[in-house]
């Protein structure tokens, strides 16, 4: 690349990335700036709908309710 500033080179390279890769770069730069986005956008979560059979989800829910809601005072 000819004599480009760092910002110009970054922008030039970003323009060749897919939207998903551009989002990754944005998230990375936000993290560097201490502005890490919180949570996951709904659109990204929707791809997981229907991924697990209902029986598996019931087992997972039961395991969480039975094991994760207990407090063992002697552990600390």
């Amino acid at each position: 690349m000819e004599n480009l500033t760092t910002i110009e080179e970054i922008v030039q390279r970003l323009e060749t990335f897919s939207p998903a890769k551009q989002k990754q770069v944005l998230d990375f730069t936000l993290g560097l700036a201490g502005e890490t986005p919180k949570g996951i956008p709904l659109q990204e979560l929707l791809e997981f709908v229907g991924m697990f059979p209902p029986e598996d989800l019931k087992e997972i829910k039961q395991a969480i309710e039975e094991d994760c809601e207990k407090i063992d005072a002697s552990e600390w």
Side-chain angles (χ1 to χ4, degrees):
M1 304 208 165
E2 63 275 352
N3 300 320
L4 299 175
T5 67
T6 302
I7 292 174
E8 290 169 332
E9 185 174 349
I10 290 169
V11 170
Q12 205 171 62
R13 290 179 184 267
L14 276 173
E15 290 172 344
T16 67
F17 290 179
S18 69
K21 291 286 185 190
Q22 290 175 0
K23 175 78 169 87
Q24 282 184 311
V25 172
L26 174 61
D27 290 345
F28 177 73
T29 59
L30 289 172
L32 288 176
E35 302 173 23
T36 306
K38 299 201 179 0
I40 299 172
L42 176 61
Q43 197 61 36
E44 289 183 33
L45 292 175
L46 289 177
E47 69 184 76
F48 298 106
V49 170
M51 198 170 182
F52 296 99
E55 304 81 35
D56 290 353
L57 294 175
K58 286 179 185 173
E59 284 183 40
I60 292 169
K61 180 181 178 190
Q62 183 178 358
I64 291 170
E65 288 173 350
E66 290 176 2
D67 298 325
C68 295
E69 294 186 4
K70 294 179 183 175
I71 297 173
D72 185 355
S74 64
E75 276 191 24
W76 299 95

